[in-house]
Amino acid sequence: MTTDNFLLNCPFCGSGWIESVKVLNKSNKDKFYIRCMNCGARTRNQSTIADAIALWNRRVDYES
């Protein structure tokens, strides 16, 4: 997966209000996901922030 830190707009609503979220799971290992703050779309939890970003950016771009 790519390690690019640039987050594309939400592919569902087109919003640029995107954030990365760090969560601590039961085994005390950090997990990360990317979430659209406008519509709530999100990725699955990933082991690294770079993997979460790559997963978010793999989605189809929004077209108005």
Side-chain angles (χ1 to χ4, degrees):
M1 292 186 178
T2 181
T3 58
D4 186 13
N5 288 328
F6 176 77
L7 289 167
L8 297 175
N9 287 350
C10 180
F12 300 104
C13 72
S15 175
W17 188 19
I18 311 300
E19 74 170 20
S20 61
V21 179
K22 178 180 170 182
V23 294
L24 187 63
N25 66 16
K26 291 179 182 179
S27 63
N28 292 327
K29 293 186 180 177
D30 292 334
K31 296 288 183 177
F32 303 88
Y33 65 89
I34 307 301
R35 170 176 61 190
C36 173
M37 298 302 292
N38 185 57
C39 74
R42 60 164 282 182
T43 64
R44 297 179 311 274
N45 288 351
Q46 300 295 307
S47 297
T48 68
I49 189 67
D51 286 346
I53 290 170
L55 186 59
W56 178 265
N57 286 342
R58 266 193 350 202
R59 295 178 177 207
V60 177
D61 288 334
Y62 173 80
E63 294 182 27
S64 53

